[in-house]
Amino acid sequence: GENVEQHPSTLSVQEGDSAVIKCTYSDSASNYFPWYKQELGKRPQLIIDIRSNVGEKKDQRIAVTLNKTAKHFSLHITETQPEDSAVYFCAATPLSGGYNKLIFGAGTRLAVHP
Amino acid sequence: DVKVTQSSRYLVKRTGEKVFLECVQDMDHENMFWYRQDPGLGLRLIYFSYDVKMKEKGDIPEGYSVSREKKERFSLILESASTNQTSMYLCASTSPPTGDYGYTFGSGTRLTVV
């Protein structure tokens, strides 16, 4: 089955700096890679996702890159702000059979210091 | 606004009790999932269902069962609660046939088994 590894487990940056979180996956059939943000005491929420036919996707200050050959994908946050402080989860799944069973990484706790 | 509702935010149960965690979604989603979230381990899939009365084991099904009698409701059952089942439980739903692959999560149930 799929296995997703996520690094680092904690990340501390100064406001305005960039933050990068990396994930690797094991199942070469995986073709959907979402990222979730979980603020303290709240539910995880989808912030960006990418399909395997795309190498990069951007949405304002966040971007995700995918390297299918190396089986890794990364989340990039530019110009970080204190409200970016949260736990971030990557996930992967092979979309097939009409359902998508996401396998999540262990999470990265990002702290943005003013 | 789409919603996934978990019936209890906090629960305290005794060892050996049978515990029911309820999840209801109002989005007519086909797929529903139960995850448990533990620090340093991320979100681990317990069970999922892609249709009424259909269920599939996830990565950590031992000690759990599920029920999906109606499309909108997916219940997680702890047959005989144990202290190692103390955790945050998250329900999620999605609807790949409509092209919506992103999960919508419930607010979570923090279960403590004493």
Side-chain angles (χ1 to χ4, degrees):
Chain A
E2 177 67 278
N3 182 51
V4 177
E5 295 191 357
Q6 183 172 347
H7 299 279
S9 56
T10 60
L11 181 59
S12 182
V13 300
Q14 290 297 125
E15 184 177 359
D17 287 351
S18 294
V20 180
I21 303 170
K22 299 181 179 180
C23 290
T24 60
Y25 61 97
S26 61
D27 188 349
S28 57
S30 287
N31 55 9
Y32 174 67
F33 308 92
W35 286 87
Y36 287 81
K37 175 184 180 182
Q38 186 178 30
E39 297 177 28
L40 188 63
K42 296 188 177 180
R43 69 191 77 190
Q45 293 199 309
L46 178 69
I47 56 171
I48 195 168
D49 57 11
I50 192 168
R51 298 287 301 274
S52 61
N53 57 348
V54 176
E56 183 176 4
K57 185 177 179 180
K58 290 183 179 180
D59 183 3
Q60 299 182 343
R61 295 187 298 108
I62 60 174
V64 57
T65 58
L66 171 65
N67 183 327
K68 281 219 72 176
T69 302
K71 291 194 283 189
H72 65 71
F73 56 111
S74 300
L75 178 71
H76 304 254
I77 307 174
T78 58
E79 302 174 18
T80 55
Q81 301 169 2
E83 52 265 38
D84 294 329
S85 297
V87 179
Y88 292 81
F89 294 97
C90 63
T93 187
L95 292 176
S96 62
Y99 55 86
N100 53 331
K101 182 183 73 172
L102 286 176
I103 302 302
F104 286 84
T108 296
R109 184 174 299 278
L110 173 64
V112 180
H113 301 285
Chain B
D1 190 20
V2 296
K3 283 189 176 176
V4 176
T5 304
Q6 295 184 230
S7 54
S8 303
R9 193 66 191 268
Y10 300 95
L11 275 179
V12 180
K13 296 293 182 180
R14 294 194 178 278
T15 301
E17 277 193 77
K18 190 169 186 177
V19 181
F20 293 85
L21 303 184
E22 305 289 342
C23 176
V24 177
Q25 50 95 2
D26 64 0
M27 299 166 283
D28 200 34
H29 280 177
E30 285 77 12
N31 300 348
M32 297 186 74
F33 306 83
W34 276 105
Y35 286 84
R36 63 176 282 176
Q37 182 176 12
D38 300 288
L41 298 177
L43 284 72
R44 294 180 292 165
L45 182 63
I46 305 171
Y47 267 97
F48 66 103
S49 167
Y50 53 91
D51 200 355
V52 176
K53 296 192 184 295
M54 305 302 289
K55 59 185 180 183
E56 293 282 344
K57 293 180 179 179
D59 297 322
I60 52 166
E62 297 78 18
Y64 303 94
S65 63
V66 290
S67 172
R68 194 163 180 205
E69 296 296 319
K70 294 183 178 181
K71 189 175 185 180
E72 66 270 19
R73 185 180 297 271
F74 191 35
S75 303
L76 180 70
I77 304 158
L78 285 66
E79 298 291 344
S80 178
S82 64
T83 55
N84 62 11
Q85 293 178 309
T86 291
S87 186
M88 170 68 83
Y89 290 87
L90 287 166
C91 174
S93 72
T94 187
S95 186
T98 66
D100 176 11
Y101 302 109
Y103 282 15
T104 300
F105 281 94
S107 295
T109 296
R110 185 166 294 281
L111 173 67
T112 302
V113 182
V114 298

